Amino acid sequence: LAGRVEVPPGVEVGKGSMLLPLGFSPGLCVLLLRAVRPQRVRLLASPRSQSLISTVRAAVSDLDLDLTWCIVQEGTSDLGGVVTELAGWLAEGPAPAYVDVTGGTKEMTLVTAAAGRCVSARMLYVRHQDDERHNRPRFGTERIVECGWFYDPKPSISRL
C-alpha cells in the first residue's frame, strides 16, 4: 500500500482502542494501524484469515501497540454474545474507541459495527479508487473516512 494516509479530522492519533476485522487484505489493517496508531487493538479474524494475524503483527512490530485477537466463527448463532464481549473490551478503554468496517466477513463487520454502536465508537472505513481493468483496488488511492452518520440518534437517508 502507499505511504502515509491522512486520518479524518478529530481522530486522535496515538490514542484509544480499535476493533479491526482482518479479511484477506492484511495491508488494509496495516495501513489503518500505521495511520491511527491506537494504543490497544483487537483484530477479529475468521478461521480462514487467522493465518494472516502474524503478517499484521510483523508489519506493525515497530509500533507500541497492545495487539490481541479473537476468532469469529462463520455461521455462529451467538453474535449477541460476541457483540457484548467486544463492546466490553472497547468500554475498558483507553478512549476514544474506534471501529473499522473495511474488511472481514459479514459476521465480523456486523459484530464490529454493533459493538462500536454500543459504546459510541467512531466508525472508520478505507475507501479507494477501483482499477476496473483488473477488478481490484487501485493502490495508492486509499483514504480513511469516518462514517459520522453512525452515531446520529435520528439518522436520515439524505445524509448517507
Side-chain angles (χ1 to χ4, degrees):
L1 292 174
R4 184 136 170 80
V5 176
E6 290 186 32
V7 297
V11 169
E12 297 181 51
V13 174
K15 297 184 179 180
S17 302
M18 178 183 276
L19 288 179
L20 185 55
L22 172 60
F24 292 105
S25 296
L28 290 175
C29 291
V30 172
L31 180 136
L32 273 159
L33 292 175
R34 290 200 164 280
V36 178
R37 295 191 312 272
Q39 295 162 280
R40 236 172 56 143
V41 178
R42 168 108 6 129
L43 289 176
L44 282 68
S46 71
R48 295 184 321 154
S49 69
Q50 75 182 51
S51 64
L52 298 173
I53 292 170
S54 60
T55 302
V56 174
R57 288 180 59 136
V60 297
S61 63
D62 60 316
L63 301 179
D64 186 22
L65 303 175
D66 176 8
L67 192 146
T68 59
W69 62 90
C70 67
I71 306 302
V72 178
Q73 298 293 331
E74 295 178 42
T76 184
S77 60
D78 187 24
L79 289 180
V82 176
V83 169
T84 300
E85 175 193 336
L86 295 175
W89 183 86
L90 280 172
E92 289 171 5
Y98 299 101
V99 297
D100 171 70
V101 294
T102 307
T105 64
K106 290 176 181 73
E107 286 91 348
M108 283 190 261
T109 301
L110 178 65
V111 298
T112 299
R117 183 71 167 109
C118 288
V119 298
S120 298
R122 298 180 74 167
M123 182 185 284
L124 305 176
Y125 182 79
V126 177
R127 285 199 173 172
H128 53 76
Q129 295 176 358
D130 290 328
D131 179 348
E132 295 178 13
R133 283 190 349 210
H134 298 103
N135 193 28
R136 64 180 181 209
R138 182 177 298 146
F139 294 111
T141 65
E142 299 87 0
R143 62 188 175 101
I144 301 170
V145 296
E146 183 171 6
C147 305
W149 52 266
F150 184 64
Y151 339 94
D152 191 338
K154 295 182 181 178
S156 166
I157 194 75
S158 65
R159 288 184 290 200
L160 302 179

